[in-house]
Amino acid sequence: MRKKTNYQGTEDDYSNRPPSASNTRSHKGSKGQASSFKGSAKSTSKKPASIPSAPVKSYIVQEDAELLTYLLANLSNKSRNSVKALLSRGQISVDGKPITAFNHPLTKGMSVTIDQEKKEEAPPLIGLTILHEDDDIIIVNKDSGLLSVASDKEQELTAYRQLTAHVRVSHPANRIFIVHRLDRDTSGVMMFAKSEAIQQSLQNAWRDTVEERTYVALVEGKVKQEQGTITSYLKESKTLKMYSTPYANDGQKAVTHYKTLQTSNDYSLLEIQLETGRKNQIRVHMEELGHPVVGDKKYGAKGRGIGRLALHARVLAFTHPGTGKQMRFETPIPKAFLRPFPPK
């Protein structure tokens, strides 16, 4: 039975802090170069012929389809990669709004405009894949090792900074807003808002909005109990390490449900659902279970590991804050998590 969340966050907590200056950057276009021409006193100057701009084509949708499929059918002279490039650069508009999502739904009567004049390009995304984008939200799959958002003192590449550059290709005033965070070394599904109003709507109604948050974790040792629930109260030490306390009034209640997917003598692969979303909740509870997450030296791991923290946010299901539709995003279990087990 699905467990409702009662906290606006993920396993690694959520943030409603305003983005720091280090997390923003302008995305300016290139400057044009002026040229001059000098003629003799007797010569007559002629106005140079204007160069026609690249054509802008418009189409009226005749039947329902996804945007990429529609474009490929109507731009038969362009390769699939060329069409994707037009999308990623914000050169495709639907009913007057630039759209970058490949799977944007089209319905009969909509207008699709293609501006083939090359636009400014955002840098390629590093450690980040966009799963879905619309006017209100962006859903991404974040790789292990990428920060969600930097602190005031950090200047390195983050998911936030890359997505800010991405949305500013369409308009320099565009912004994104943090809804929740994943730890640097945790991979998986994340959501960002494209307006402050949507951010606040999601955070204020997180318990009712989010239907499912499922993680997978590769842990050390063979978990004997096939499934179970861990409940404790979490606090943060002066060294910024989370730990459990048995006293209800001395920490934040944390509830973690787990189910064993595969086991061997040395490892277990667990499916984990969060009833709450406290900082480092899964990592603390796995250590208490006696089976720390592989690669998690901070919370008790002792083995050789697999080259990363073996924790992945696999599923995020929620009610769309703008449309009210049910949405579900599921990503594959990282291959490294499956290597300790013989193929079925």
Side-chain angles (χ1 to χ4, degrees):
M1 182 176 68
R2 176 180 60 78
K3 297 290 182 179
K4 282 282 189 179
T5 58
N6 59 8
Y7 183 75
Q8 301 103 307
T10 68
E11 188 272 336
D12 294 288
D13 211 356
Y14 83 102
S15 169
N16 56 9
R17 297 179 302 160
S20 64
S22 65
N23 290 333
T24 60
R25 65 177 177 188
S26 62
H27 208 66
K28 298 179 180 178
S30 58
K31 297 180 179 179
Q33 294 181 341
S35 61
S36 60
F37 174 80
K38 292 183 180 180
S40 66
K42 294 182 180 179
S43 66
T44 58
S45 60
K46 292 184 178 180
K47 187 177 180 180
S50 60
I51 300 174
S53 60
V56 176
K57 297 182 180 180
S58 293
Y59 302 87
I60 300 299
V61 177
Q62 299 301 318
E63 58 182 22
D64 295 358
E66 287 192 348
L67 181 54
L68 179 59
T69 303
Y70 181 85
L71 292 171
L72 291 172
N74 285 276
L75 296 175
S76 56
N77 62 326
K78 289 188 175 291
S79 69
R80 186 181 184 90
N81 286 340
S82 296
V83 173
K84 284 186 173 182
L86 290 172
L87 273 167
S88 64
R89 291 195 295 260
Q91 292 174 250
I92 308 297
S93 297
V94 177
D95 288 344
K97 295 182 179 180
I99 301 295
T100 57
F102 297 168
N103 63 344
H104 184 83
L106 300 177
T107 57
K108 185 176 180 180
M110 283 183 168
S111 172
V112 177
T113 302
I114 304 164
D115 183 356
Q116 299 192 62
E117 183 178 0
K118 191 171 182 179
K119 304 291 184 181
E120 177 188 11
E121 293 186 49
L125 299 176
I126 299 173
L128 202 61
T129 303
I130 295 177
L131 302 176
H132 171 84
E133 181 179 5
D134 57 38
D135 291 341
D136 297 319
I137 58 174
I138 301 179
I139 309 297
V140 301
N141 186 13
K142 183 188 82 69
D143 289 353
S144 174
L146 179 68
L147 277 173
S148 299
V149 58
S151 69
D152 294 339
K153 297 180 180 180
E154 293 168 325
Q155 297 292 332
E156 61 185 291
L157 193 67
T158 65
Y160 174 87
R161 292 180 67 181
Q162 293 188 75
L163 291 174
T164 297
H166 168 77
V167 299
R168 285 181 175 172
V169 168
S170 300
H171 193 285
N174 286 347
R175 296 177 61 192
I176 62 165
F177 297 81
I178 306 297
V179 176
H180 61 92
R181 292 180 292 173
L182 292 179
D183 235 10
R184 176 203 293 268
D185 296 321
T186 301
S187 58
V189 187
M190 288 185 65
M191 183 195 310
F192 291 84
K194 297 178 79 172
S195 72
E196 191 170 10
I198 291 295
Q199 177 201 42
Q200 293 301 314
S201 173
L202 286 165
Q203 291 183 342
N204 293 339
W206 191 262
R207 179 177 180 178
D208 297 321
T209 299
V210 175
E211 298 293 324
E212 180 185 354
R213 286 177 299 160
T214 300
Y215 288 71
V216 286
L218 181 66
V219 301
E220 294 185 346
K222 185 173 184 177
V223 178
K224 296 180 181 179
Q225 190 172 343
E226 185 175 343
Q227 58 186 7
T229 298
I230 305 167
T231 303
S232 70
Y233 299 87
L234 297 187
K235 293 183 65 176
E236 191 168 25
S237 70
K238 293 181 180 180
T239 60
L240 305 182
K241 182 179 179 180
M242 302 301 294
Y243 66 97
S244 285
T245 171
Y247 305 108
N249 296 325
D250 195 30
Q252 294 182 311
K253 187 176 182 180
V255 182
T256 302
H257 306 279
Y258 71 88
K259 180 174 69 174
T260 303
L261 299 178
Q262 295 190 61
T263 61
S264 68
N265 290 331
D266 300 317
Y267 298 98
S268 297
L269 184 67
L270 304 182
E271 178 183 276
I272 296 172
Q273 289 195 340
L274 299 180
E275 189 170 323
T276 58
R278 311 307 184 192
K279 181 180 178 181
N280 293 169
Q281 175 178 323
I282 293 174
R283 297 166 65 182
V284 175
H285 279 175
M286 292 302 100
E287 182 182 30
E288 291 182 3
L289 187 65
H291 299 278
V293 176
V294 169
D296 195 359
K297 301 294 185 182
K298 185 175 182 178
Y299 291 100
K302 301 184 185 305
R304 294 174 57 187
I306 58 172
R308 57 159 291 183
L309 180 74
L311 183 60
H312 177 74
R314 188 182 185 193
V315 177
L316 178 64
F318 57 93
T319 303
H320 192 287
T323 65
K325 293 182 179 179
Q326 300 297 310
M327 306 194 77
R328 187 177 191 275
F329 297 91
E330 180 172 343
T331 54
I333 297 174
K335 293 180 180 179
F337 291 21
L338 300 173
R339 287 179 190 145
F341 309 103
K344 292 184 178 180

